[in-house]
Amino acid sequence: MKKDRRVLVDHSSLDDAGVFAYGRGEALVQTVDFFTPVVDDPYDFGQVAAANAVSDVYAMGATPITALAILCVPETPLPEGTLRAILAGGQDKLKEAGVSILGGHSVKDPELKFGYAVTGVAPRRRLLTNAGARAGDRLILTKPLGAGVLATALKRGELDPAAVRRMTRVMATLNRAASEAAVEYGARAATDVTGFGLIGHALQMADASAVTFRLRPSREWFQPRALDLAARGVAPGGLKSNREFYGPRIREGLIPEPLRLGLYDPQTSGGLLIAIPPRRASAFRAALRRRRVWHVDAGEVAPRSAVAIELEAG
Amino acid sequence: MKKDRRVLVDHSSLDDAGVFAYGRGEALVQTVDFFTPVVDDPYDFGQVAAANAVSDVYAMGATPITALAILCVPETPLPEGTLRAILAGGQDKLKEAGVSILGGHSVKDPELKFGYAVTGVAPRRRLLTNAGARAGDRLILTKPLGAGVLATALKRGELDPAAVRRMTRVMATLNRAASEAAVEYGARAATDVTGFGLIGHALQMADASAVTFRLRPSREWFQPRALDLAARGVAPGGLKSNREFYGPRIREGLIPEPLRLGLYDPQTSGGLLIAIPPRRASAFRAALRRRRVWHVDAGEVAPRSAVAIELEAG
């Protein structure tokens, strides 16, 4: 099918969202995501589902404006107030993001699922795609990793309440402040870290930009408990398949095994991975600190080598 | 929650889609719909799902521009090529509508479901909402009714191949030409006829416009076979619940029972019900004929009486 010239980004580029030219120099940025509960509390689940759905828009450097709710509901009755709490969690989180809910659709499904189709807007020339990273850029990660391992431990009843609260807070945090700072300080490229793990999404960015990412992972990239659990073999199915799929394209280096595993951990509502020109990196980091955005230096962008990702001891 | 002033229409008004003010005098019109197969052929199902999803945008007098696909897929394997055919059907139909697919999301679900989140655009002052009908307006219906009854017969194996083809063609027909003519000829209000049946959607329009609709149903409003099947008790569950819900607000008049039943029949991808000022009605009808849009005179708009809908013998 011949593509409409107004389609600036579609699914084929593995970018976070589709982009459509609309208006004078503006673009619509659109994405849809919904999934099964990752936490037990329905209000928290609604918050996480909303933060996750708008994240793809933030990853493109755009401002989300509208959302349509998507709800899959079992016919067997849920505990009283469950659906109301999920919708309220989503609504409150979207309000925080300045997003208006225009409608939605619900269907029957034995497994509860919730999420949104989200539309954002941005000036076309300020969009952050996967393709803009250049050799010399610094890489910044804006949320700690480990959500997949922790959620697996939660399902097995092996996670203490404090860890559950931390994990939930991380997933429910909007990538808004990180995205706004990235646009303001001239970031060259960004993606959000979700199902393919840090490695998978970094690799897509490195490929799209025709560069190699040098990552220097350390324990501080992870939520507390996540690496210990990973070392004990607690891992979601997606971690293994990510490693099988992306592993051959990585130079894994001499880093400890649990750390290595954690880089393949699939994230829900993960942070942004941002490529920023070196001369702007320290001002950008200061801006993230001022805006209270958790972040770590993840490494830097190098000219393309034989592999897309090189891991180095941190 | 305090509503953003840019939200011109949301779910609370029972309109066909949400509307958000964007740009100079422009509006985004958004809707999401996905459902289980209504026909056996996967390509046809994709076409119907796409025509149905964009219909809510046409019902607002807007032009659909982008779509995100939503696919729920069973883990048990489907016949070879099924998903590809569904997606191809949807893609071809959206191409016909001039809509670009920007991305999508798929989830596991024991029951196959497919559809789209669709975004359209329109000048704000040309939007066709439910609320604009005035006494004296003529009512025009742009697709024959009966899809719910016919689909029920199909599931029971009681429908001949010619009737299946006709039903499929009706559901897969875009409401584009009808919508464009309605905007061009100054229609005052419109809705698309879907799950609540002609009566349910007419009632929402009459209520929103604070008027009464006088409908004069006849056999020619229906696809062949539909009324005979309805007379024999072939009816989807939705027909009965629509009648229970809306019946008390209708003056049913002295019309034959099968005809009456058919007005409550839930439609998939049904036609538009359009209110057009009387002095423009004949030019509008001529335009529909030129554009080869099936249509019937459905009645007219009267000042508000004790009931929202009055049925009269045709």
Side-chain angles (χ1 to χ4, degrees):
Chain A
M1 189 160 101
K2 196 163 146 284
K3 215 162 78 174
D4 188 313
R5 287 193 322 165
R6 293 171 299 175
V7 177
L8 307 180
V9 174
D10 70 8
H11 218 237
S12 59
S13 69
L14 298 176
D15 251 297
D16 304 298
V19 180
F20 191 83
Y22 179 67
R24 264 172 209 258
E26 293 282 304
L28 299 180
V29 177
Q30 299 190 305
T31 179
V32 54
D33 204 5
F34 55 106
F35 48 55
T36 54
V38 285
V39 289
D40 296 332
D41 180 84
Y43 181 87
D44 288 343
F45 172 48
Q47 293 235 312
V48 171
N52 173 73
V54 295
S55 177
D56 283 326
V57 172
Y58 289 131
M60 305 294 289
T63 304
I65 55 172
T66 63
L68 299 164
I70 294 166
L71 183 60
C72 306
V73 197
E75 293 192 84
T76 52
L78 295 164
E80 170 81 19
T82 301
L83 294 180
R84 206 165 46 238
I86 292 173
L87 292 168
Q91 192 165 313
D92 287 352
K93 185 50 69 176
L94 290 182
K95 189 181 180 189
E96 182 191 334
V99 172
S100 298
I101 301 173
L102 290 196
H105 184 61
S106 75
V107 294
K108 301 255 181 259
D109 181 337
E111 204 175 41
L112 179 67
K113 300 185 185 87
F114 182 61
Y116 294 95
V118 180
T119 295
V121 291
R124 262 171 253 173
R125 59 187 180 72
R126 297 189 77 170
L127 284 169
L128 298 176
T129 66
N130 280 349
R134 290 193 220 157
D137 286 354
R138 299 299 184 258
L139 294 168
I140 310 278
L141 174 67
T142 71
K143 280 188 188 182
L145 302 169
V149 167
L150 293 167
T152 305
L154 172 64
K155 274 180 197 151
R156 297 189 191 168
E158 293 180 27
L159 207 58
D160 58 283
V164 175
R165 278 196 300 275
R166 261 195 316 265
M167 174 189 85
T168 305
R169 197 174 56 233
V170 169
M171 292 190 293
T173 297
L174 292 176
N175 282 323
R176 178 183 191 163
S179 172
E180 288 174 353
V183 170
E184 202 175 319
Y185 286 82
R188 286 222 177 92
T191 194
D192 63 340
V193 180
T194 54
F196 301 132
L198 178 66
I199 290 281
H201 294 282
L203 194 142
Q204 289 172 356
M205 230 170 124
D207 277 355
S209 303
V211 293
T212 290
F213 281 10
R214 274 194 202 127
L215 305 179
R216 270 183 295 276
S218 74
R219 288 192 75 88
E220 60 163 1
W221 292 18
F222 292 84
Q223 292 189 56
R225 304 277 336 270
L227 291 182
D228 299 339
L229 287 161
R232 280 173 38 214
V234 177
L239 191 155
K240 202 170 160 235
S241 53
N242 283 342
R243 191 174 191 179
E244 279 166 10
F245 192 75
Y246 296 113
R249 304 215 30 226
I250 311 301
R251 184 171 300 145
E252 286 194 344
L254 290 169
I255 61 163
E257 174 70 3
L259 212 54
R260 207 180 299 187
L261 279 175
L263 299 178
Y264 294 102
D265 185 38
Q267 305 297 290
T268 298
S269 192
L272 300 186
L273 179 65
I274 297 166
I276 186 108
R279 67 194 152 77
R280 292 181 182 153
S282 71
F284 177 58
R285 282 187 208 100
L288 291 177
R289 275 192 300 273
R290 275 197 310 278
R291 296 171 198 204
R292 296 166 192 281
V293 177
W294 182 100
H295 62 285
V296 287
D297 287 345
E300 76 252 338
V301 181
R304 184 68 169 199
S305 74
V307 293
I309 310 269
E310 298 173 2
L311 301 184
E312 297 178 355
Chain B
M1 189 161 100
K2 198 165 145 281
K3 215 160 78 174
D4 187 314
R5 285 195 322 166
R6 294 170 300 176
V7 176
L8 307 180
V9 175
D10 69 7
H11 218 237
S12 59
S13 70
L14 298 176
D15 251 295
D16 305 298
V19 180
F20 190 82
Y22 179 67
R24 263 171 211 259
E26 293 283 303
L28 298 180
V29 177
Q30 300 190 305
T31 178
V32 54
D33 204 5
F34 55 106
F35 48 53
T36 55
V38 284
V39 289
D40 296 331
D41 180 83
Y43 182 86
D44 288 344
F45 172 47
Q47 293 235 312
V48 171
N52 173 72
V54 295
S55 177
D56 282 327
V57 172
Y58 289 130
M60 305 294 289
T63 304
I65 55 171
T66 64
L68 299 165
I70 294 165
L71 182 60
C72 306
V73 196
E75 292 192 86
T76 52
L78 295 164
E80 170 81 18
T82 302
L83 294 181
R84 209 167 41 240
I86 292 172
L87 292 169
Q91 193 165 310
D92 288 351
K93 184 52 68 177
L94 290 182
K95 189 181 181 188
E96 180 191 337
V99 172
S100 298
I101 301 173
L102 290 195
H105 185 60
S106 74
V107 294
K108 301 254 180 265
D109 182 337
E111 204 174 41
L112 179 68
K113 301 186 184 86
F114 182 61
Y116 294 94
V118 179
T119 296
V121 291
R124 261 171 255 172
R125 57 186 181 74
R126 296 189 78 170
L127 285 169
L128 298 176
T129 65
N130 281 349
R134 290 194 219 157
D137 286 354
R138 300 298 185 257
L139 294 168
I140 311 277
L141 174 67
T142 71
K143 279 189 188 182
L145 303 169
V149 167
L150 293 166
T152 304
L154 172 64
K155 273 179 198 150
R156 296 189 191 169
E158 293 181 27
L159 206 60
D160 59 285
V164 175
R165 279 197 299 275
R166 260 195 316 264
M167 173 189 84
T168 305
R169 198 174 54 233
V170 168
M171 290 191 294
T173 297
L174 292 175
N175 282 324
R176 179 183 191 162
S179 172
E180 289 174 353
V183 170
E184 203 175 319
Y185 285 81
R188 286 221 177 92
T191 194
D192 63 340
V193 180
T194 55
F196 302 132
L198 177 67
I199 290 282
H201 294 282
L203 193 143
Q204 288 172 357
M205 229 170 124
D207 276 355
S209 303
V211 294
T212 289
F213 281 10
R214 272 192 203 129
L215 305 179
R216 269 182 295 275
S218 74
R219 288 191 76 87
E220 61 161 2
W221 291 20
F222 292 84
Q223 292 189 55
R225 306 275 336 268
L227 291 182
D228 299 339
L229 287 161
R232 279 173 38 215
V234 177
L239 191 155
K240 200 168 161 239
S241 52
N242 283 341
R243 190 173 191 179
E244 278 166 12
F245 193 75
Y246 296 113
R249 305 217 27 228
I250 311 302
R251 184 172 300 145
E252 287 193 343
L254 291 169
I255 61 164
E257 173 70 2
L259 210 55
R260 208 182 297 188
L261 278 175
L263 299 179
Y264 294 101
D265 185 37
Q267 305 296 291
T268 298
S269 192
L272 300 185
L273 180 66
I274 297 165
I276 187 106
R279 67 194 153 78
R280 292 181 181 154
S282 70
F284 177 57
R285 281 187 208 101
L288 290 177
R289 276 192 299 273
R290 276 196 310 277
R291 295 169 199 206
R292 297 167 191 281
V293 177
W294 182 100
H295 62 283
V296 287
D297 287 345
E300 76 251 338
V301 181
R304 186 69 170 197
S305 75
V307 293
I309 309 269
E310 298 173 2
L311 302 184
E312 296 179 355

